[in-house]
Amino acid sequence: MVQKHTVKAFDDELKQLADIIARMGGLTESQLGEAIEALAQRDNARAEAVVLADARIDVLEHEVDEMGVRLIALRQPMAADLRVIIAALKIAPILERIGDYAKNIAKRSLAISRVAPVRPLFTVPRMGRMAREMIKDVLDAYAAVDVAASRAVWERDHELDEMYDSLFRELLTYMIEDPRNISPCTHLLFVAKNIERIGDLATNIAEIIHFQVEGRTIGENRPKVDEASTTVVSAPAELGG
Amino acid sequence: MSENAILRAGPSRVVAPVPIVSAAAQTQPHRVNIAASHVDVFYAAKQAIVDVSIDIGEHQVTAFIGPSGCGKSTFLRCLNRMNDTIPICRVTGRIAIDGEDIYDPGMDPVQLRARVGMVFQKPNPFPKAIYENVAYGPRIHGMIGNRAEADEIVERSLRAAALWDEVKDRLDEPGTSLSGGQQQRLCIARAIAVSPEVILMDEPCSALDPIATARIEELIDELRQNYTIIIVTHSMQQAARVSQRTAFFHLGVLVEAGDTETIFTNPRDGRTQDYITGRFG
């Protein structure tokens, strides 16, 4: 455990900063969970609640900004302290972005619930729950200042990427089968893409935790599985005419 | 073009009749490199410096940091044998400047101190005119033949210390009539006047206000083009601002020395980390 600062107020302030990130993280995680469940259960009230609650994350991001700038100006932090503050300033906008994706998923679930359910509606929530687990684990790693745990999340993202790739093919197939599926499937495709991005953002947070603790970047590239961005599924000959 | 840039442009712009600083020395980097190895310092039976080894690169600013009593000033004073003046002080190990052992019996400490100038915490101009403060050193070192040469050295040194414009019309007034920041720059001009290779600064800004401090820091940055500078400071921000290399001392031991950027962003040693982040109990 690191020693305490001679100026105790500085310790308190750094703890406050980490607390705001923890609150932001908790809120973001629950927003994502709620958005996914709203989608799975076709629960419009739940989706609307998610849309409304997003502003609370933005408020917390502001608090992190102000506190971080104040600490840099007033405490002139060095080394590990400086990295703690820089890390918080970098993580906050990522959480805010994840909050935006959750809100976007909730909005799309409102649209999707207006039409008859398509089968991928069951795969997407599974993907969403996986992303939520990643967010939870990376936030736990942040709270525990645990590089190994954050790295485990970093290495896990490919599972989400693979799921996204197969879902992408599946959705294209549905759309080709029946044009009436195009509207819900397109929305689902965006939802899946948002979830896939959330996984990427979780790995970004893992990288920031690594920097905060080790003072350098992870320094290797994460294995990328991204077939969806180059995949083409052809329509059957009779439709393609 | 800054005053220093004019100086560096060579003797055609600033006439140097005697080889105070040779033309070659002005245009080429000084080959100064201080190598200290296994230095111990004792005050009677008490050991103040324990087995310190460090290389100090030329034309760089190296900052010594550490809590009071850590030995940083003691070690600094070894580099121009200022500790010789303390009878109970004993220095062992080897300190070489340009490969030359400065504790060699053949080394003249007075000549050494002309090569390795020093600026102290409290500005300490001689109780003489501003002009004399600067001309005195070169004169006793036999570097001045006539009045014109003295004028030349005084002007050049005061320009290099960024003080000329403020004092050129009052060179006969006492050095002590200047403000604290001006006095400190006068002391720097006095150190420069004897053409040192190295300038040691022992907390040169601790008695100055932030504006005077900023001027000294700016001056240090200019001076490093021509001199190797070692500064002892209690201000970590100052060390971070002015130096390229930083050495952290604790309890007489050199804990860590490295690039200033690394020391202040990601030090290797836990003691350095604790000190610079304000965690020392």
Side-chain angles (χ1 to χ4, degrees):
Chain A
M1 192 59 210
V2 276
Q3 279 198 56
K4 295 222 173 301
H5 287 94
T6 310
V7 179
K8 290 188 188 62
F10 190 21
D11 281 324
D12 297 341
E13 286 160 345
L14 286 175
K15 185 172 179 311
Q16 270 182 50
L17 189 65
D19 285 349
I20 305 173
I21 294 286
R23 262 159 53 213
M24 247 190 119
L27 202 53
T28 308
E29 191 194 321
S30 105
Q31 282 282 91
L32 176 62
E34 285 295 294
I36 297 298
E37 294 318 313
L39 176 76
Q41 317 291 330
R42 300 165 74 80
D43 184 340
N44 287 353
R46 226 166 165 174
E48 274 156 10
V50 169
V51 173
L52 283 175
D54 182 56
R56 284 162 60 203
I57 299 179
D58 300 356
V59 170
L60 288 176
E61 191 201 1
H62 242 83
E63 277 184 37
V64 172
D65 274 0
E66 279 174 13
M67 183 115 198
V69 168
R70 198 169 79 230
L71 286 183
I72 290 172
L74 302 186
R75 299 291 182 197
Q76 285 133 37
M78 297 277 194
D81 294 337
L82 180 60
R83 297 201 305 271
V84 165
I85 295 168
I86 297 295
L89 286 171
K90 290 177 84 168
I91 290 173
I94 294 178
L95 292 174
E96 190 272 337
R97 192 92 193 92
I98 295 172
D100 285 350
Y101 282 138
K103 179 173 148 187
N104 188 274
I105 292 168
K107 278 183 175 171
R108 288 189 191 278
S109 88
L110 290 171
I112 293 167
S113 71
R114 286 208 298 271
V115 296
V118 289
R119 188 133 44 92
L121 193 48
F122 306 104
T123 323
V124 174
R126 225 172 65 222
M127 211 183 143
R129 287 177 199 122
M130 190 186 269
R132 188 192 165 164
E133 277 298 302
M134 286 177 70
I135 296 297
K136 179 183 176 299
D137 291 350
V138 85
L139 289 169
D140 287 348
Y142 175 78
V145 199
D146 184 340
V147 180
S150 76
R151 202 188 162 95
V153 175
W154 188 75
E155 282 166 350
R156 212 164 81 202
D157 185 46
H158 69 94
E159 295 170 25
L160 204 57
D161 290 345
E162 282 160 10
M163 233 170 147
Y164 172 68
D165 286 337
S166 71
L167 191 73
F168 181 84
R169 289 162 192 280
E170 194 185 341
L171 286 167
L172 288 188
T173 316
Y174 275 94
M175 290 192 253
I176 290 162
E177 265 174 23
D178 184 348
R180 282 171 298 181
N181 286 336
I182 289 177
S183 180
C185 284
T186 306
H187 282 301
L188 280 174
L189 190 56
F190 276 110
V191 169
K193 183 67 196 171
N194 285 351
I195 294 170
E196 187 270 330
R197 288 294 303 141
I198 288 170
D200 290 346
L201 292 174
T203 67
N204 291 155
I205 294 176
E207 285 164 9
I208 293 166
I209 294 169
H210 187 280
F211 161 78
Q212 176 187 318
V213 177
E214 304 286 341
R216 56 192 159 75
T217 50
I218 283 187
E220 52 186 291
N221 290 327
R222 202 160 43 81
K224 283 249 157 60
V225 187
D226 182 16
E227 288 170 12
S229 40
T230 51
T231 296
V232 174
V233 176
S234 308
E238 64 270 25
L239 284 177
Chain B
M1 199 185 237
S2 76
E3 286 154 2
N4 255 22
I6 292 170
L7 279 181
R8 287 195 302 278
S12 63
R13 305 290 291 267
V14 181
V15 184
V18 278
I20 302 141
V21 175
S22 72
Q26 280 204 3
T27 49
Q28 287 167 14
H30 292 234
R31 305 301 303 170
V32 180
N33 198 329
I34 304 174
S37 50
H38 304 295
V39 175
D40 291 306
V41 179
F42 299 85
Y43 291 114
K46 189 187 178 306
Q47 188 163 7
I49 291 287
V50 184
D51 196 29
V52 167
S53 298
I54 185 174
D55 284 340
I56 290 166
E58 61 180 2
H59 297 186
Q60 274 187 323
V61 180
T62 301
F64 289 175
I65 61 169
S68 293
C70 70
K72 57 191 188 301
S73 290
T74 296
F75 185 70
L76 186 80
R77 294 160 61 91
C78 290
L79 301 178
N80 67 348
R81 290 180 58 174
M82 287 293 281
N83 290 326
D84 289 14
T85 59
I86 303 167
I88 58 165
C89 182
R90 187 162 58 84
V91 179
T92 64
R94 181 184 152 92
I95 299 174
I97 296 181
D98 293 337
E100 203 179 343
D101 185 352
I102 64 168
Y103 281 89
D104 188 275
M107 175 68 70
D108 175 0
V110 176
Q111 288 302 322
L112 172 69
R113 286 174 205 141
R115 277 171 72 188
V116 185
M118 191 151 189
V119 176
F120 298 87
Q121 181 171 359
K122 205 165 162 286
N124 56 352
F126 302 135
K128 289 171 183 283
I130 293 168
Y131 185 99
E132 278 308 306
N133 262 278
V134 182
Y136 181 77
R139 191 177 296 126
I140 63 160
H141 282 286
M143 299 162 85
I144 291 175
N146 54 41
R147 176 76 191 194
E149 288 169 12
D151 287 354
E152 145 59 23
I153 290 184
V154 168
E155 178 173 346
R156 186 157 48 81
S157 304
L158 286 170
R159 280 192 188 281
L163 188 59
W164 175 252
D165 289 337
E166 291 160 58
V167 301
K168 63 183 176 203
D169 300 322
R170 46 192 284 208
L171 292 172
D172 294 334
E173 290 177 25
T176 49
S177 68
L178 298 170
S179 73
Q182 288 173 326
Q183 287 188 23
Q184 197 60 304
R185 277 180 280 144
L186 179 60
C187 292
I188 293 172
R190 187 176 65 188
I192 292 170
V194 292
S195 302
E197 298 162 47
V198 181
I199 303 174
L200 310 178
M201 297 185 174
D202 194 352
E203 294 184 54
C205 301
S206 61
L208 305 182
D209 74 12
I211 296 166
T213 298
R215 299 201 62 165
I216 299 283
E217 289 179 1
E218 167 67 12
L219 176 59
I220 289 171
D221 199 49
E222 283 180 23
L223 290 174
R224 82 178 159 94
Q225 313 277 349
N226 296 309
Y227 308 96
T228 296
I229 295 172
I230 304 167
I231 179 171
V232 163
T233 176
H234 271 137
S235 160
M236 252 104 50
Q237 277 72 30
Q238 178 167 65
R241 287 192 299 262
V242 303
S243 72
Q244 287 76 51
R245 304 270 298 170
T246 296
F248 170 60
F249 289 80
H250 182 47
L251 300 173
V253 173
L254 175 62
V255 173
E256 183 171 355
D259 289 344
T260 296
E261 196 185 308
T262 308
I263 297 284
F264 287 106
T265 57
N266 197 11
R268 285 194 315 272
D269 195 287
R271 288 167 291 177
T272 316
Q273 170 96 286
D274 284 347
Y275 180 67
I276 63 170
T277 58
R279 284 183 170 89
F280 250 43

